[in-house]
Coordinates of all heavy atoms in Angstrom, one line a residue:
M1 N -6.1 0.0 9.4 CA -5.6 -0.7 8.2 C -4.1 -0.5 8.1 O -3.6 0.6 8.0 CB -6.3 -0.1 7.0 CG -7.8 -0.3 6.9 SD -8.2 -2.0 6.7 CE -7.9 -2.1 4.9
S2 N -3.3 -1.6 8.1 CA -1.9 -1.4 7.9 C -1.5 -2.0 6.6 O -2.1 -3.0 6.1 CB -1.1 -2.2 9.0 OG -1.4 -3.6 8.9
Q3 N -0.7 -1.2 5.9 CA -0.3 -1.7 4.6 C 1.3 -1.8 4.6 O 1.9 -0.9 5.1 CB -0.7 -0.7 3.5 CG -2.2 -0.9 3.1 CD -2.6 0.0 2.0 OE1 -2.3 1.2 2.0 NE2 -3.3 -0.6 1.0
S4 N 1.8 -2.8 4.0 CA 3.2 -3.0 4.0 C 3.9 -2.0 3.2 O 3.3 -1.3 2.3 CB 3.5 -4.4 3.3 OG 4.8 -4.6 3.1
F5 N 5.2 -1.8 3.5 CA 6.0 -0.9 2.7 C 6.5 -1.6 1.5 O 7.1 -0.9 0.7 CB 7.1 -0.2 3.6 CG 6.6 0.7 4.7 CD1 6.8 0.4 6.0 CD2 5.8 1.7 4.3 CE1 6.3 1.3 7.0 CE2 5.2 2.6 5.3 CZ 5.5 2.3 6.6
L6 N 6.4 -2.9 1.5 CA 6.7 -3.6 0.3 C 5.6 -3.4 -0.7 O 4.5 -3.2 -0.4 CB 7.0 -5.1 0.6 CG 8.1 -5.3 1.6 CD1 8.1 -6.8 2.0 CD2 9.4 -5.0 0.9
P7 N 5.9 -3.5 -2.0 CA 4.9 -3.4 -3.0 C 3.9 -4.6 -2.9 O 4.3 -5.7 -2.7 CB 5.6 -3.5 -4.3 CG 6.9 -4.0 -4.1 CD 7.2 -3.7 -2.6
P8 N 2.6 -4.3 -2.9 CA 1.6 -5.4 -2.8 C 1.8 -6.3 -4.0 O 2.0 -5.8 -5.1 CB 0.3 -4.7 -3.0 CG 0.6 -3.2 -2.8 CD 2.0 -3.0 -3.2
D9 N 1.9 -7.6 -3.8 CA 2.1 -8.5 -4.9 C 1.0 -9.6 -4.9 O 1.3 -10.7 -4.4 CB 3.5 -9.1 -4.8 CG 3.8 -9.9 -6.0 OD1 3.1 -9.8 -7.1 OD2 4.8 -10.7 -6.0
T10 N -0.2 -9.2 -5.3 CA -1.3 -10.1 -5.3 C -1.9 -10.1 -6.7 O -1.7 -9.1 -7.4 CB -2.3 -9.7 -4.3 OG1 -2.9 -8.5 -4.7 CG2 -1.8 -9.6 -2.9
P11 N -2.6 -11.1 -7.1 CA -3.3 -11.1 -8.4 C -4.2 -9.9 -8.6 O -4.3 -9.3 -9.6 CB -4.1 -12.4 -8.4 CG -3.3 -13.3 -7.5 CD -2.8 -12.4 -6.4
Q12 N -4.9 -9.6 -7.5 CA -5.8 -8.4 -7.5 C -5.0 -7.1 -7.8 O -5.4 -6.3 -8.7 CB -6.5 -8.3 -6.2 CG -7.5 -7.1 -6.2 CD -8.3 -7.0 -4.9 OE1 -7.7 -6.7 -3.9 NE2 -9.5 -7.2 -5.0
F13 N -3.9 -7.0 -7.1 CA -3.0 -5.8 -7.4 C -2.6 -5.7 -8.8 O -2.6 -4.7 -9.5 CB -1.8 -5.8 -6.4 CG -0.9 -4.6 -6.6 CD1 -1.2 -3.4 -6.0 CD2 0.2 -4.7 -7.4 CE1 -0.4 -2.3 -6.2 CE2 1.0 -3.6 -7.7 CZ 0.7 -2.4 -7.1
R14 N -2.1 -6.9 -9.3 CA -1.6 -6.9 -10.7 C -2.7 -6.6 -11.7 O -2.4 -5.9 -12.7 CB -1.0 -8.3 -10.9 CG 0.3 -8.5 -10.2 CD 0.9 -9.8 -10.4 NE 2.2 -9.9 -9.7 CZ 3.2 -10.7 -10.1 NH1 3.1 -11.3 -11.3 NH2 4.3 -10.7 -9.4
R15 N -3.9 -7.1 -11.5 CA -4.9 -6.8 -12.4 C -5.2 -5.3 -12.4 O -5.4 -4.7 -13.5 CB -6.2 -7.5 -12.0 CG -6.3 -9.0 -12.4 CD -7.7 -9.6 -12.3 NE -8.2 -9.6 -11.0 CZ -8.0 -10.6 -10.1 NH1 -7.2 -11.6 -10.4 NH2 -8.5 -10.5 -8.9
L16 N -5.3 -4.7 -11.3 CA -5.6 -3.3 -11.2 C -4.4 -2.5 -11.8 O -4.6 -1.5 -12.6 CB -5.8 -2.8 -9.8 CG -7.1 -3.4 -9.1 CD1 -7.2 -3.1 -7.6 CD2 -8.3 -2.7 -9.8
W17 N -3.2 -2.9 -11.5 CA -2.0 -2.2 -12.0 C -2.0 -2.2 -13.5 O -1.8 -1.2 -14.1 CB -0.8 -2.9 -11.4 CG 0.5 -2.2 -11.9 CD1 1.2 -2.5 -13.0 CD2 1.2 -1.2 -11.2 NE1 2.3 -1.7 -13.1 CE2 2.3 -0.9 -12.0 CE3 1.0 -0.4 -10.0 CZ2 3.3 0.1 -11.7 CZ3 1.9 0.5 -9.7 CH2 3.0 0.8 -10.5
E18 N -2.3 -3.4 -14.1 CA -2.2 -3.5 -15.5 C -3.4 -2.7 -16.2 O -3.2 -2.1 -17.2 CB -2.3 -5.0 -15.9 CG -0.9 -5.6 -15.7 CD -0.9 -7.1 -15.9 OE1 -1.8 -7.6 -16.5 OE2 0.1 -7.7 -15.4
A19 N -4.6 -2.8 -15.5 CA -5.7 -2.0 -16.1 C -5.4 -0.5 -16.1 O -5.9 0.2 -17.0 CB -7.0 -2.3 -15.3
Q20 N -4.7 0.0 -15.1 CA -4.4 1.4 -15.0 C -3.1 1.7 -15.6 O -2.7 2.9 -15.6 CB -4.4 1.8 -13.5 CG -5.8 1.7 -12.9 CD -5.7 2.1 -11.4 OE1 -6.4 1.6 -10.6 NE2 -4.8 3.0 -11.0
E21 N -2.4 0.7 -16.1 CA -1.1 0.9 -16.7 C -0.1 1.6 -15.8 O 0.7 2.4 -16.2 CB -1.2 1.7 -18.0 CG -2.0 0.9 -19.1 CD -2.2 1.6 -20.4 OE1 -2.2 2.9 -20.4 OE2 -2.3 1.0 -21.4
G22 N -0.2 1.3 -14.5 CA 0.7 1.9 -13.5 C 0.5 3.3 -13.2 O 1.3 4.0 -12.5
L23 N -0.7 3.9 -13.6 CA -0.9 5.3 -13.4 C -1.9 5.5 -12.2 O -2.8 4.7 -12.0 CB -1.6 6.0 -14.6 CG -0.7 5.9 -15.9 CD1 -1.5 6.5 -17.0 CD2 0.6 6.6 -15.7
C24 N -1.7 6.5 -11.4 CA -2.5 6.8 -10.3 C -3.9 7.2 -10.8 O -4.1 8.0 -11.7 CB -1.9 8.0 -9.5 SG -3.0 8.6 -8.2
A25 N -4.9 6.6 -10.1 CA -6.3 6.8 -10.5 C -6.8 8.2 -10.2 O -7.7 8.7 -10.7 CB -7.2 5.8 -9.9
L26 N -6.1 8.9 -9.3 CA -6.5 10.2 -8.8 C -5.8 11.3 -9.5 O -6.4 12.4 -9.8 CB -6.4 10.3 -7.3 CG -7.3 9.3 -6.5 CD1 -7.0 9.4 -5.0 CD2 -8.7 9.5 -6.8
C27 N -4.5 11.2 -9.7 CA -3.8 12.3 -10.3 C -3.3 12.0 -11.7 O -2.8 12.8 -12.5 CB -2.6 12.8 -9.5 SG -1.2 11.7 -9.5
G28 N -3.3 10.7 -12.1 CA -3.0 10.3 -13.5 C -1.5 10.2 -13.7 O -1.1 9.9 -14.9
K29 N -0.7 10.3 -12.7 CA 0.8 10.2 -12.9 C 1.3 8.8 -12.5 O 0.6 8.1 -11.8 CB 1.5 11.3 -12.0 CG 1.2 12.7 -12.5 CD 1.9 13.7 -11.6 CE 1.5 15.1 -12.0 NZ 1.8 16.1 -11.1
P30 N 2.4 8.4 -13.1 CA 2.9 7.1 -12.8 C 3.2 6.8 -11.3 O 3.6 7.7 -10.6 CB 4.2 7.0 -13.6 CG 4.1 8.1 -14.6 CD 3.3 9.2 -14.0
M31 N 2.9 5.6 -10.9 CA 3.2 5.2 -9.5 C 4.5 4.3 -9.5 O 4.7 3.6 -10.5 CB 2.1 4.4 -8.9 CG 0.8 5.2 -8.7 SD -0.6 4.3 -8.1 CE -1.0 3.2 -9.5
P32 N 5.3 4.4 -8.5 CA 6.5 3.5 -8.4 C 6.0 2.1 -8.2 O 5.1 1.8 -7.4 CB 7.2 4.0 -7.2 CG 6.2 4.7 -6.4 CD 5.2 5.2 -7.3
A33 N 6.6 1.2 -9.0 CA 6.2 -0.2 -8.9 C 6.8 -0.9 -7.6 O 6.3 -1.9 -7.1 CB 6.5 -1.0 -10.1
S34 N 7.9 -0.3 -7.2 CA 8.6 -0.9 -6.0 C 9.4 0.1 -5.3 O 9.7 1.2 -5.8 CB 9.5 -2.1 -6.5 OG 10.7 -1.5 -7.0
R35 N 9.7 -0.3 -4.0 CA 10.5 0.6 -3.2 C 11.8 0.9 -3.8 O 12.4 2.0 -3.6 CB 10.7 -0.1 -1.8 CG 11.7 0.4 -0.9 CD 11.3 1.8 -0.3 NE 12.4 2.3 0.6 CZ 13.4 3.0 0.2 NH1 13.5 3.3 -1.1 NH2 14.3 3.4 1.0
A36 N 12.3 0.0 -4.6 CA 13.6 0.2 -5.2 C 13.7 1.3 -6.2 O 14.8 1.9 -6.5 CB 14.1 -1.1 -6.0
E37 N 12.5 1.8 -6.7 CA 12.5 2.9 -7.6 C 12.6 4.2 -6.9 O 12.7 5.3 -7.6 CB 11.2 2.8 -8.5 CG 11.1 1.7 -9.4 CD 9.9 1.7 -10.3 OE1 9.3 2.8 -10.5 OE2 9.5 0.6 -10.8
M38 N 12.4 4.2 -5.6 CA 12.4 5.5 -4.9 C 13.7 5.6 -4.1 O 14.3 4.7 -3.5 CB 11.3 5.5 -3.9 CG 9.9 5.3 -4.6 SD 9.5 6.4 -5.9 CE 9.0 7.9 -5.0
D39 N 14.3 6.8 -4.1 CA 15.5 7.1 -3.4 C 15.4 7.0 -1.9 O 16.3 6.5 -1.2 CB 16.1 8.5 -3.8 CG 16.5 8.5 -5.2 OD1 16.8 7.5 -5.8 OD2 16.6 9.6 -5.7
H40 N 14.3 7.4 -1.4 CA 14.1 7.5 0.1 C 12.8 6.8 0.5 O 11.8 6.9 -0.1 CB 14.1 8.9 0.5 CG 15.4 9.7 0.2 ND1 16.6 9.4 0.8 CD2 15.6 10.6 -0.7 CE1 17.5 10.2 0.3 NE2 16.9 11.0 -0.7
A41 N 12.9 6.2 1.7 CA 11.7 5.6 2.3 C 10.6 6.6 2.4 O 9.4 6.2 2.3 CB 12.1 4.9 3.6
T42 N 10.9 7.8 2.7 CA 9.8 8.8 2.9 C 9.1 9.1 1.6 O 7.9 9.3 1.6 CB 10.4 10.1 3.5 OG1 11.5 10.5 2.7 CG2 10.9 10.0 4.9
L43 N 9.8 9.0 0.5 CA 9.2 9.2 -0.8 C 8.3 8.0 -1.1 O 7.2 8.2 -1.6 CB 10.2 9.4 -1.9 CG 11.0 10.8 -1.8 CD1 12.1 10.8 -2.9 CD2 10.0 11.9 -2.0
W44 N 8.8 6.9 -0.8 CA 8.1 5.6 -1.0 C 6.8 5.7 -0.2 O 5.7 5.3 -0.7 CB 8.9 4.4 -0.7 CG 8.2 3.1 -0.7 CD1 7.9 2.3 0.4 CD2 7.6 2.5 -1.8 NE1 7.2 1.2 0.0 CE2 7.0 1.3 -1.4 CE3 7.5 2.8 -3.2 CZ2 6.3 0.4 -2.2 CZ3 6.8 1.9 -4.0 CH2 6.2 0.7 -3.5
K45 N 6.8 6.1 1.0 CA 5.6 6.2 1.8 C 4.6 7.1 1.2 O 3.4 6.8 1.3 CB 6.0 6.7 3.3 CG 6.6 5.7 4.1 CD 6.8 6.2 5.6 CE 7.8 5.5 6.3 NZ 8.1 6.1 7.6
K46 N 5.1 8.2 0.6 CA 4.1 9.1 0.0 C 3.5 8.6 -1.3 O 2.4 8.8 -1.6 CB 4.8 10.5 -0.2 CG 5.0 11.3 1.0 CD 5.7 12.6 0.6 CE 6.0 13.4 1.9 NZ 6.8 14.7 1.5
W47 N 4.4 8.0 -2.1 CA 4.0 7.7 -3.5 C 3.8 6.3 -3.8 O 3.4 5.9 -4.9 CB 5.1 8.3 -4.4 CG 5.3 9.7 -4.3 CD1 6.4 10.4 -3.8 CD2 4.3 10.8 -4.6 NE1 6.2 11.7 -3.8 CE2 4.9 12.0 -4.2 CE3 3.0 10.8 -5.1 CZ2 4.3 13.2 -4.4 CZ3 2.4 12.0 -5.3 CH2 3.0 13.2 -4.9
R48 N 3.9 5.4 -2.8 CA 3.6 4.0 -3.1 C 2.2 3.8 -3.5 O 1.3 4.6 -3.1 CB 3.9 3.2 -1.8 CG 3.0 3.4 -0.7 CD 3.6 2.9 0.7 NE 2.9 3.5 1.8 CZ 1.8 2.9 2.3 NH1 1.4 1.8 1.9 NH2 1.2 3.5 3.3
P49 N 1.9 2.8 -4.3 CA 0.5 2.6 -4.7 C -0.3 2.0 -3.6 O 0.2 1.1 -2.9 CB 0.7 1.6 -5.9 CG 2.0 0.9 -5.7 CD 2.9 1.9 -5.0
T50 N -1.5 2.5 -3.4 CA -2.4 2.0 -2.4 C -3.8 1.7 -3.0 O -4.1 2.3 -4.0 CB -2.6 3.0 -1.2 OG1 -3.1 4.2 -1.8 CG2 -1.2 3.3 -0.5
Y51 N -4.5 0.9 -2.3 CA -5.9 0.7 -2.8 C -6.8 1.9 -2.4 O -6.7 2.3 -1.2 CB -6.5 -0.6 -2.1 CG -5.9 -1.9 -2.7 CD1 -5.1 -2.7 -1.8 CD2 -6.1 -2.3 -4.0 CE1 -4.6 -3.9 -2.3 CE2 -5.6 -3.4 -4.4 CZ -4.9 -4.2 -3.6 OH -4.3 -5.4 -4.1
D52 N -7.6 2.3 -3.3 CA -8.6 3.3 -3.0 C -10.0 2.8 -3.4 O -10.1 2.2 -4.4 CB -8.3 4.6 -3.8 CG -9.3 5.7 -3.7 OD1 -9.6 6.0 -2.5 OD2 -9.8 6.2 -4.7
H53 N -10.9 3.0 -2.5 CA -12.3 2.7 -2.8 C -12.9 3.8 -3.7 O -13.0 4.9 -3.2 CB -13.1 2.4 -1.6 CG -12.8 1.1 -0.9 ND1 -11.9 1.1 0.2 CD2 -13.2 -0.1 -1.1 CE1 -11.8 -0.2 0.6 NE2 -12.6 -0.9 -0.2
I54 N -13.4 3.4 -4.9 CA -14.0 4.4 -5.8 C -15.2 5.1 -5.1 O -15.3 6.3 -5.1 CB -14.4 3.7 -7.1 CG1 -13.1 3.2 -7.8 CG2 -15.1 4.7 -8.0 CD1 -13.4 2.2 -9.0
I55 N -16.1 4.2 -4.6 CA -17.1 4.7 -3.7 C -16.8 4.3 -2.3 O -16.6 3.1 -2.0 CB -18.5 4.1 -4.1 CG1 -18.8 4.4 -5.6 CG2 -19.6 4.6 -3.2 CD1 -20.0 3.6 -6.1
A56 N -16.6 5.2 -1.4 CA -16.1 4.9 -0.1 C -17.0 3.9 0.6 O -18.3 4.0 0.4 CB -16.0 6.2 0.8
L57 N -16.4 3.0 1.4 CA -17.2 2.1 2.1 C -18.2 2.8 3.0 O -19.4 2.3 3.2 CB -16.3 1.2 3.0 CG -15.3 0.3 2.2 CD1 -14.5 -0.5 3.2 CD2 -16.0 -0.6 1.3
A58 N -17.8 3.9 3.6 CA -18.7 4.7 4.5 C -19.9 5.2 3.7 O -21.0 5.5 4.3 CB -18.0 5.8 5.1
R59 N -19.8 5.3 2.4 CA -21.0 5.8 1.6 C -21.7 4.6 0.9 O -22.4 4.8 -0.1 CB -20.5 6.8 0.6 CG -20.1 8.1 1.3 CD -20.0 9.2 0.3 NE -18.9 9.1 -0.7 CZ -18.9 9.6 -1.9 NH1 -19.8 10.3 -2.4 NH2 -17.8 9.3 -2.7
G60 N -21.4 3.4 1.4 CA -22.1 2.3 0.8 C -21.5 1.5 -0.3 O -22.1 0.7 -0.9
G61 N -20.2 1.9 -0.6 CA -19.5 1.2 -1.7 C -19.2 -0.2 -1.3 O -18.9 -0.5 -0.1
P62 N -19.2 -1.1 -2.3 CA -18.9 -2.5 -2.0 C -17.4 -2.7 -1.8 O -16.6 -2.0 -2.4 CB -19.4 -3.2 -3.3 CG -19.3 -2.2 -4.4 CD -19.5 -0.9 -3.7
D63 N -17.1 -3.6 -0.9 CA -15.7 -4.0 -0.7 C -15.3 -5.1 -1.6 O -15.1 -6.2 -1.3 CB -15.5 -4.5 0.8 CG -14.0 -4.6 1.1 OD1 -13.2 -4.0 0.4 OD2 -13.7 -5.2 2.2
H64 N -15.2 -4.7 -2.9 CA -15.0 -5.7 -4.0 C -14.1 -5.0 -5.0 O -14.0 -3.8 -5.1 CB -16.4 -6.0 -4.6 CG -16.3 -7.0 -5.7 ND1 -16.1 -6.7 -7.0 CD2 -16.3 -8.4 -5.7 CE1 -16.1 -7.8 -7.8 NE2 -16.2 -8.8 -7.0
E65 N -13.4 -5.9 -5.8 CA -12.4 -5.3 -6.7 C -13.1 -4.3 -7.7 O -12.4 -3.4 -8.2 CB -11.8 -6.5 -7.5 CG -10.7 -6.1 -8.4 CD -9.9 -7.3 -9.0 OE1 -9.7 -8.2 -8.3 OE2 -9.6 -7.2 -10.2
S66 N -14.3 -4.5 -8.1 CA -15.0 -3.6 -9.0 C -15.0 -2.2 -8.4 O -15.3 -1.2 -9.2 CB -16.4 -4.1 -9.3 OG -17.2 -4.0 -8.2
N67 N -14.9 -2.0 -7.1 CA -14.9 -0.7 -6.5 C -13.5 -0.3 -6.0 O -13.4 0.7 -5.3 CB -15.9 -0.8 -5.3 CG -16.2 0.6 -4.7 OD1 -16.3 1.6 -5.4 ND2 -16.2 0.6 -3.3
L68 N -12.5 -1.0 -6.5 CA -11.2 -0.6 -6.1 C -10.4 0.0 -7.3 O -10.6 -0.4 -8.4 CB -10.4 -1.8 -5.6 CG -10.8 -2.4 -4.2 CD1 -10.1 -3.7 -3.9 CD2 -10.6 -1.4 -3.1
Q69 N -9.5 0.9 -6.9 CA -8.5 1.4 -7.9 C -7.3 1.7 -7.1 O -7.2 1.7 -5.9 CB -9.1 2.7 -8.5 CG -9.4 3.8 -7.5 CD -10.1 5.0 -8.2 OE1 -10.4 5.0 -9.3 NE2 -10.3 6.0 -7.4
L70 N -6.2 1.9 -7.9 CA -4.9 2.1 -7.2 C -4.6 3.6 -7.3 O -4.8 4.3 -8.3 CB -3.8 1.3 -7.9 CG -3.9 -0.2 -7.9 CD1 -2.8 -0.9 -8.7 CD2 -3.9 -0.7 -6.4
A71 N -4.1 4.2 -6.2 CA -3.7 5.6 -6.2 C -2.5 5.7 -5.3 O -2.3 4.9 -4.4 CB -4.8 6.4 -5.7
H72 N -1.7 6.8 -5.5 CA -0.6 7.2 -4.6 C -1.1 7.2 -3.2 O -2.2 7.7 -3.0 CB 0.0 8.5 -5.0 CG 0.7 8.6 -6.3 ND1 0.3 9.4 -7.3 CD2 1.8 8.0 -6.7 CE1 1.1 9.3 -8.4 NE2 2.0 8.4 -8.0
A73 N -0.3 6.8 -2.2 CA -0.7 7.0 -0.8 C -1.1 8.4 -0.5 O -2.1 8.7 0.2 CB 0.4 6.5 0.1
L74 N -0.3 9.4 -1.1 CA -0.6 10.8 -0.8 C -1.9 11.2 -1.4 O -2.7 12.0 -0.7 CB 0.6 11.6 -1.3 CG 0.7 13.0 -0.8 CD1 0.9 13.0 0.7 CD2 1.8 13.8 -1.4
C75 N -2.2 10.8 -2.6 CA -3.4 11.2 -3.3 C -4.6 10.6 -2.5 O -5.6 11.2 -2.3 CB -3.4 10.7 -4.7 SG -2.2 11.6 -5.7
N76 N -4.4 9.4 -2.1 CA -5.5 8.7 -1.3 C -5.8 9.4 -0.1 O -6.9 9.6 0.3 CB -5.0 7.2 -1.0 CG -6.1 6.3 -0.8 OD1 -7.2 6.7 -0.6 ND2 -5.8 5.0 -0.9
K77 N -4.7 9.8 0.6 CA -4.9 10.5 1.9 C -5.5 11.9 1.7 O -6.4 12.3 2.4 CB -3.5 10.7 2.5 CG -3.5 11.1 4.0 CD -2.0 11.1 4.5 CE -2.0 11.6 5.9 NZ -0.6 11.7 6.4
R78 N -5.1 12.6 0.6 CA -5.7 13.9 0.3 C -7.2 13.8 0.0 O -8.0 14.6 0.3 CB -5.1 14.5 -1.0 CG -3.8 15.2 -0.7 CD -3.3 16.0 -1.9 NE -2.0 16.5 -1.6 CZ -1.0 16.5 -2.5 NH1 -1.2 16.0 -3.7 NH2 0.1 17.1 -2.3
K79 N -7.6 12.7 -0.7 CA -9.0 12.4 -1.0 C -9.8 12.3 0.3 O -10.9 12.6 0.4 CB -9.1 11.2 -1.8 CG -10.5 10.9 -2.4 CD -10.5 9.6 -3.2 CE -11.9 9.1 -3.4 NZ -11.9 7.7 -3.9
G80 N -9.1 11.8 1.4 CA -9.7 11.9 2.7 C -10.5 10.6 3.1 O -11.1 10.6 4.1
M81 N -10.4 9.6 2.2 CA -11.1 8.4 2.5 C -10.5 7.3 1.8 O -9.8 7.4 0.8 CB -12.6 8.5 2.2 CG -12.9 9.1 0.8 SD -14.7 9.5 0.7 CE -14.6 10.7 -0.6
G82 N -10.7 6.1 2.3 CA -10.0 5.0 1.7 C -11.1 3.9 1.3 O -10.7 2.9 0.8
Ligands
ZN1 ZN1 -1.6 10.3 -7.5

């Protein structure tokens, strides 16, 4: 799975972003809305918003928006599944 370093800009992303008010679903802290908010590309890579499957696909979760939330890339990685 490759994800752009640019902020995702899709209707789905916007719906999730607005539903979560820009907060990470895993740690509850604000996520940067764009690369421009971060001083360094390495920080953006860690803290950029990424899609997280609430129920992992490997555990039978649906690949559907109802099973998606936004989380920091780092939090998503720590959780250990996408
Ligand atoms: Zn987080």
Side-chain angles (χ1 to χ4, degrees):
M1 296 291 282
S2 64
Q3 281 184 313
S4 170
F5 293 122
L6 296 172
D9 188 16
T10 65
Q12 181 178 67
F13 178 84
R14 288 179 179 212
R15 280 196 297 276
L16 290 168
W17 180 272
E18 283 171 19
Q20 294 177 213
E21 299 179 328
L23 301 178
C24 172
L26 297 178
C27 75
K29 292 177 185 170
M31 294 179 289
S34 76
R35 167 72 180 85
E37 290 183 24
M38 306 303 282
D39 290 337
H40 300 290
T42 50
L43 290 177
W44 170 246
K45 281 186 201 172
K46 286 182 183 174
W47 300 113
R48 68 198 162 92
T50 58
Y51 288 114
D52 176 49
H53 286 94
I54 298 167
I55 304 168
L57 296 180
R59 289 195 294 154
D63 192 13
H64 182 267
E65 186 170 317
S66 66
N67 188 40
L68 288 175
Q69 58 189 3
L70 298 174
H72 291 120
L74 195 62
C75 293
N76 205 343
K77 196 173 175 184
R78 278 191 185 137
K79 189 181 160 191
M81 47 192 157

